[in-house]
Structure formats: C-alpha cells, structure tokens
Amino acid sequence: HLGCAAELALGQACGPHLADVLRGRRDPLQLLFPGGSFEATEPLYERTPYARAFNAALAAAVAGIVESLPQGRSLRVLEIGAGTGGSTSAILKVLPAGRTRYVFTDLSRLFLDRAAAKFAGYPFVEYALLDAERPFGPQGLPEHGFDVVLASNVLHATWDLAAALGNVLEALAPGGGVLLLEGSR
C-alpha cells in the first residue's frame, strides 16, 4: 500500500534486527536514525496518513485552546520528546507567533539541533534537553509554568510512566491542559 510506504520501509530495515535489539546487541536508535539520518523516520512521524490525521487532531486541539484564550493573553507550550518534530510541524502553524512561548524538548541533542534548523522560521520556539522521568525544575523548566503540555508517542517509552506523568502534571499551570498522543493498537 503506497500510503504506508514509510512504515513498510522502516519495517524492512529494522525487522531483521529485532532479535538483536531485544537482546541488547544492537542499538535501536542506530537502526531508526542510521548515522544521525532522519530519512526513514521523518516521513513516518509527519507524512503518513496516520501521522497526518493524528497531527491534525493535535493541531486542532491546540487551535481550540488558542481561540479560548482571553484577548492578548500569551500561551506557554511544552512539548516533551518532540523528536523529529512531526507533531510540532502541524502545531506551530496554529500558534500566535507574538504571544507564544514554545519549548521543544528531547533527550538527544541530535533532535534539538535538527529541529532548530527545521523550525528556524518560528523565533518563539526554544530548544532544551529534557528527561521526562526526572523532575523538570532541576532541568531548567519552571514548575507550573506551561498552559499546554504535549507528548506525542513518547511517554510509552519511559521506564516509569507514573513518574513521567507526575512530572508532566508538575509542569502544568493551573487551568492548563495535557495533550497526549499514544498509539495503543
């Protein structure tokens, strides 16, 4: 199926090495991002039919939050584990540039550097390393400092989901909202 070409290509590249990954003999990130390349994964998270539908739903939810803000009020958004920026690409388009602080985070500097180049046209975006399983304050993010906390297909990968969700709630400002996107089937 042509609409699933990205999934098929990634499955063909990674599938034969699954046993080695599960045994700890092969680094899964090197399979997904060989030599730091985003060529196989960016289409998966941004351009497949599933990614377009889910990212559009996230963007619509954020647009609804923006519309409900009092006139002139700024919006503080934290995206956890933003990775290739697939969801970010859809969300940034619905944000008021002059009234938004958007913090794009990930565990890896590779993703942050790539995102800084990819989203250079959005000067309100900041980039920060963040481990979702550790308290955010000591990592430089304010407690109760964000109106919206986004996490798209990332929290499932934590060792301690309860700790990660606790940290998400600590980052949330009173009256704020959490938008989670997690594939479950």
Side-chain angles (χ1 to χ4, degrees):
H1 187 277
L2 293 178
C4 296
E7 292 95 329
L8 293 170
L10 202 57
Q12 288 174 330
C14 297
H17 306 288
L18 181 58
D20 286 337
V21 168
L22 294 174
R23 291 184 181 116
R25 296 181 188 156
R26 186 90 188 236
D27 179 5
L29 291 179
Q30 284 303 314
L31 289 172
L32 296 170
F33 305 98
S37 170
F38 285 62
E39 188 176 325
T41 53
E42 195 167 51
L44 181 72
Y45 294 121
E46 196 168 333
R47 295 188 289 276
T48 62
Y50 306 106
R52 286 195 316 267
F54 293 134
N55 292 335
L58 281 174
V62 172
I65 292 168
V66 169
E67 287 176 18
S68 71
L69 289 174
Q71 185 69 20
R73 170 126 166 1
S74 63
L75 179 68
R76 301 161 299 171
V77 180
L78 171 65
E79 185 174 2
I80 299 169
T84 64
S87 295
T88 315
S89 294
I91 293 165
L92 291 179
K93 295 172 187 172
V94 302
L95 297 173
R99 299 185 294 132
T100 300
R101 175 186 183 211
Y102 194 101
V103 182
F104 179 109
T105 69
D106 205 276
L107 275 172
S108 170
R109 172 67 51 197
L110 172 69
F111 292 112
L112 301 181
D113 292 344
R114 178 74 158 59
K118 182 175 181 175
F119 302 120
Y122 297 93
F124 58 88
V125 179
E126 303 169 25
Y127 305 90
L129 290 171
L130 182 70
D131 181 345
E133 293 180 88
R134 294 183 20 241
F136 295 175
Q139 297 182 74
L141 294 178
E143 196 171 296
H144 309 298
F146 295 93
D147 304 301
V148 177
V149 178
L150 302 164
S152 180
N153 287 310
V154 67
L155 293 182
H156 71 273
T158 60
W159 288 101
D160 187 344
L161 183 57
L165 288 172
N167 293 329
V168 166
L169 293 177
E170 285 292 318
L172 200 59
V178 177
L179 295 175
L180 300 178
L181 172 63
E182 290 287 343
S184 60
R185 292 182 186 205

